[in-house]
């Protein structure tokens, strides 16, 4: 069993934003390469909260939608 946690649900097994089981780890909370790939290229979900911070990754808004604001974040 891996000690690494799912990067999307942070090991909790559910995505709090949706209140549903995490589809990347199937609710186990274990690390998956699929979850890591998703988080690297995800569309910002700030529209669900404050339109300033993405609830999935915690970074400033960087969504790729026609909505405002649209702030691009460069590589870290």
């Amino acid at each position: 069993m891996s000690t690494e946690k799912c990067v999307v649900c942070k090991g909790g097994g559910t995505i709090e934003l949706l209140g549903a089981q995490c589809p990347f780890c199937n609710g186990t909370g274990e690390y998956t390469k699929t979850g890591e790939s998703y988080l690297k290229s995800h569309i910002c979900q700030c529209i669900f909260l404050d339109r300033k911070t993405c609830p999935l990754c915690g970074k400033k808004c960087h969504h790729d939608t026609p909505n405002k604001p649209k702030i691009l974040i460069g590589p870290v």
Side-chain angles (χ1 to χ4, degrees), residues 3 6-10 13 15 23-24 32 35 37 43 46 53 59 61 69 71:
T3 58
C6 175
V7 295
V8 178
C9 69
K10 318 269 187 296
I15 297 179
F24 298 98
T32 61
S37 295
I43 294 172
C46 74
T53 307
K59 294 181 181 178
C61 171
I71 301 170

Side-chain angles (χ1 to χ4, degrees), residues 2 5 7 9 14 16 19-20 23 31 37 50 55 67-68 70 73:
S2 176
K5 296 179 182 178
V7 295
C9 69
T14 60
E16 292 181 32
Y31 169 85
S37 295
D50 60 8
N67 298 321
K68 298 289 181 186
K70 184 175 182 181
I73 296 181

Side-chain angles (χ1 to χ4, degrees), residues 9-56:
C9 69
K10 318 269 187 296
T14 60
I15 297 179
E16 292 181 32
L17 181 64
L18 303 173
Q21 178 178 305
C22 177
F24 298 98
C25 66
N26 291 323
T28 64
E30 295 178 2
Y31 169 85
T32 61
K33 202 146 183 89
T34 307
E36 181 181 15
S37 295
Y38 172 75
L39 203 59
K40 285 182 181 178
S41 63
H42 73 284
I43 294 172
C44 185
Q45 302 297 313
C46 74
I47 192 168
F48 292 109
L49 295 178
D50 60 8
R51 292 184 170 261
K52 295 178 184 174
T53 307
C54 177
L56 290 178

